[in-house]
């Protein structure tokens, strides 16, 4: 499964795997795909350096990349405390009431919340980059908007390609103007932050909008036939995130969450502002329901919602409060019904891809297949 | 572009085109596709017979089909007047206020509204079938739920295949149990009534759910590469509706609407209950906005909403009141940017399909392409 882009990056399969787990990212690169480690949870640069050291030891010299979250809109000269102060008291009270309704215990004194707003702030992302450019990463992806011009220039000076996610052709054009190298067209069905245009429509629109820049198809892809579909739509590769959450290498914070993912159907996700303030697809839970409830105050805009709910999310995760327990994941969760190793999943993807190509050739009346 | 299903039906391309316009349906069948005439607007059986006579004369003996709307839930022993009486006065007042705000004139005395609730009622659909089975139709499709068992039996007795639209694997299984022959998997991005699962995820789920029944991929398909994607996902054909609205053979009620369709982007549709009471994708207009407005009463359930708005829609269409003027259409509207004849569109689809197959073969490293 080779495209111009996969040859440029020196990978066997044009499959890009996004994951917050170093063990998954490394296994992907070893399996001939391109592992992309999500950096949002590394608020301390040393933690990131530690895991990138580990990646170096476990990728057998294969290429890999890093995904940072650098918001397009910079919050200038405002401290986290000042942003905290913008949160209405009624919203804090609502969070308390939802947690109380489900009997969610408090964190112990001094326990930090796991999902910190700071991970969303540009300063943290820049600290991450200071670490990352000391490692031979081959790709830097930005999950929210185009990276700032100096970051693009710095990446290029290090020979690192820059990718950015886009939910519309307009976003994609803006990325191209910002000098990025690869656009990830993230369809409505994808997990995490996503727009309203489905992959079937979005992928070719983005390909047309930024040609000759390479495009990766993201959203709704979790099988070889879906990879074939994404590539038929003009993409030079596919970008998969959700599928790895139920691999044996994934280090989810709770078995209860893994069980929920394995049991969920494609209709069990919702595009909700409950986690970050921007629409992100995730498991539908009583937590997301609470933020859809017309009787509630509704979510705040980014970055306020993320700050508001950070501690609550940590408590829900720590105590595995089942009705509230969720995670960003795409509609493909309906197909994630067993735990398997990354290599086995990749083998199934490539086999499924070959079968889909056989089938399409039979339909097209092409001989030799 | 041949599949088992296309061979069974004796068509050259596994492309099914749904359209309310006989001229489009006939042109599709003449072009080697399978034209499916939407029957919902034929409230008088004679009108349907007239247009089926015309189809017979203009399809050169090629196969074609009919799409009826037979709601899964039957309204037993209730007259249209009794259903009308269930509509709250506040809703009627809201319709009046929205129309007044935009200065929409009244219909002339005795002018019927074009979009009658009666078209949604089972009795009308049954009258349509009494007419249809006198013609050599090859396919009967039902847009809402499974057709009743006697209708399926009657179709089969006439050698007519029965298709039904499904927005989830659960719906598809129900159709299979009802004895239908073909499932149309209608993704979130499709025009008209649609669920929340995007085609990329829905198509293979439905294929798995009803195998070995053939599945058509619907939603987001308007190019040869999207056809290749739909077929790669396991479908035995594709079902396209929106794309024909801007063909030269289409008889839209207003040039202003054609202009809106040609100008619209993929982000200019909304899945709204404004027209029928069930979520249906359509152009976003000030009409759909009015039914999303938290200050308004919101849409009524089917069939009340359709009854409530029938006259208003006729007035908006007749007087071409631009801000309110809309139509069911899918996200693929972003690609419908020029008026062309059906044959030319089909030629582009088949050429684009061949190019997409070439491309996927290059990526797969298959020789001979």
């Amino acid at each position: 499964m080779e495209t111009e882009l996969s040859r440029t990056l020196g990978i066997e399969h044009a499959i890009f795997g996004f994951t917050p787990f170093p063990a998954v990212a490394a296994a992907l690169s070893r399996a001939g795909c391109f592992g992309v480690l999500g950096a949002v949870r590394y608020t301390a640069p040393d933690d990131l350096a530690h895991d990138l050291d580990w990646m170096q030891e476990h990728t057998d010299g294969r290429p890999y990349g890093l995904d940072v979250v650098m918001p397009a809109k910079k919050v200038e000269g405002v401290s986290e405390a000042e942003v905290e102060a913008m949160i209405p008291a009624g919203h804090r009270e609502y969070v308390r009431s939802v947690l109380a309704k489900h009997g969610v215990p408090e964190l112990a004194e001094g326990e930090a919340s796991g999902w910190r707003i700071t991970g969303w702030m540009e300063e943290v992302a820049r600290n991450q980059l200071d670490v990352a450019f000391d490692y031979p990463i081959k790709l830097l992806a930005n999950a929210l908007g185009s990276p700032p011009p100096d970051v693009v220039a710095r990446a290029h000076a290090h020979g690192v390609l820059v990718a950015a996610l886009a939910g519309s052709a307009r976003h994609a054009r803006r990325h191209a103007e910002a000098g990025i190298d690869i656009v990830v067209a993230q369809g409505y069905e994808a997990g995490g932050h996503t727009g309203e245009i489905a992959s079937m429509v979005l992928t070719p629109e983005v390909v047309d909008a930024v040609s000759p820049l390479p495009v990766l198809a993201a959203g709704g892809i979790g099988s070889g036939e879906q990879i074939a579909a994404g590539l038929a739509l003009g993409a030079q590769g596919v970008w998969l995130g959700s599928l790895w959450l139920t691999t044996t290498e994934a280090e989810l914070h709770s078995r209860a969450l893994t069980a929920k993912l394995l049991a969920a159907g494609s209709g069990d996700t919702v595009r909700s502002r409950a986690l970050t303030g921007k629409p992100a697809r995730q498991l539908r839970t009583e937590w997301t329901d609470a933020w859809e409830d017309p009787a509630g105050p509704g979510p705040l805009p980014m970055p306020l919602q993320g700050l508001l709910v950070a501690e609550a999310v940590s408590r829900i995760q720590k105590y595995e409060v089942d009705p509230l327990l969720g995670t960003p994941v795409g509609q493909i969760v309906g197909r994630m019904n067993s735990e398997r190793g990354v290599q086995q999943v990749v083998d199934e993807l490539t086999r499924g891809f070959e079968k889909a190509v056989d089938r399409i050739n039979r339909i097209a009346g092409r001989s030799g297949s």
Side-chain angles (χ1 to χ4, degrees), chain A:
Chain A
M1 197 190 306
E2 280 196 5
T3 63
E4 205 179 319
L5 179 63
S6 72
R7 281 188 289 269
T8 301
L9 287 167
I11 54 174
E12 192 181 344
H13 312 301
I15 300 172
F16 293 72
F18 166 80
T19 172
F21 308 118
V24 175
L28 278 162
S29 289
R30 288 198 309 273
C33 304
F34 192 93
V36 180
L37 179 65
V40 68
R41 67 180 172 131
Y42 297 100
T43 50
D46 284 355
D47 293 345
L48 179 59
H50 175 271
D51 280 3
L52 288 177
D53 281 335
W54 189 92
M55 288 286 289
Q56 275 303 107
E57 286 162 27
H58 293 84
T59 42
D60 298 355
R62 308 286 185 103
Y64 63 91
L66 196 71
D67 180 279
V68 296
V69 180
M70 207 171 257
K73 277 186 206 153
K74 206 165 158 177
V75 186
E76 296 264 20
V78 182
S79 71
E80 187 171 331
E82 286 166 322
V83 178
E84 285 259 13
M86 295 176 184
I87 296 173
H91 277 77
R92 294 200 183 277
E93 181 48 41
Y94 188 65
V95 169
R96 274 190 292 271
S97 74
V98 174
L99 296 176
K101 185 181 156 196
H102 291 276
V104 183
E106 303 269 350
L107 293 180
E109 191 77 35
E111 265 187 317
S113 88
W115 185 312
R116 294 302 297 160
I117 181 64
T118 47
W120 296 98
M121 307 289 274
E122 183 170 336
E123 194 186 310
V124 173
R126 286 187 175 271
N127 289 341
Q128 290 170 346
L129 293 181
D130 288 339
V131 172
F133 287 127
D134 285 341
Y135 293 82
I137 60 169
K138 296 287 179 212
L139 177 81
L140 179 70
N142 190 29
L144 280 178
S146 308
D150 66 299
V151 172
V152 175
R154 196 173 163 194
H156 287 167
H158 280 84
V160 174
L161 294 182
V162 180
L165 269 70
S168 70
R170 191 169 53 85
H171 288 164
R173 269 185 226 105
R174 210 185 298 149
H175 292 331
E177 285 158 17
I180 65 124
D181 308 290
I182 300 165
V183 175
V184 181
Q186 166 107 327
Y188 162 86
E189 54 270 67
H193 291 123
T194 187
E196 298 199 68
I197 315 294
S199 291
M200 185 70 89
V201 173
L202 181 69
T203 311
E205 272 197 353
V206 170
V207 169
D208 287 352
V210 302
S211 174
L213 280 192
V215 171
L216 302 178
I221 302 183
S223 72
E225 56 199 351
Q226 287 159 332
I227 292 176
L231 297 174
L233 294 171
Q236 284 212 22
V238 291
W239 174 275
L240 286 68
S242 302
L243 192 64
W244 320 113
L245 290 173
T246 49
T247 56
T248 48
E249 289 90 343
E251 297 144 24
L252 280 191
H253 45 75
S254 94
R255 289 300 305 169
L257 182 56
T258 300
K260 277 189 121 170
L261 288 170
L262 293 171
S266 57
D268 293 331
T269 72
V270 61
R271 195 170 156 269
S272 161
R273 294 174 51 219
L275 273 190
T276 69
K278 278 188 188 289
R281 185 171 300 285
Q282 52 200 283
L283 280 184
R284 184 191 296 274
T285 65
E286 292 195 29
W287 179 254
T288 61
D289 287 350
W291 293 101
E292 307 281 319
D293 188 349
L300 295 169
M302 180 180 274
L304 299 183
Q305 182 74 9
L307 259 182
L308 170 66
V309 307
E311 193 203 300
V313 170
S314 291
R315 288 164 60 183
I316 292 165
Q317 291 180 347
K318 178 176 176 185
Y319 298 107
E320 302 194 358
V321 185
D322 207 72
L324 301 174
L325 197 57
T327 183
V329 71
Q331 292 186 337
I332 198 65
V333 70
R335 193 179 272 268
M336 293 156 48
N337 302 322
S338 69
E339 285 184 271
R340 290 160 304 160
V342 167
Q343 179 69 56
Q344 189 186 342
V345 172
V346 172
D347 288 345
E348 285 171 23
L349 292 177
T350 55
R351 269 200 306 270
F353 172 73
E354 295 296 333
K355 280 171 74 174
V357 176
D358 289 344
R359 186 168 182 282
I360 205 86
N361 275 316
R362 279 197 303 275
I363 292 173
R366 304 285 176 100
S367 58
S369 35

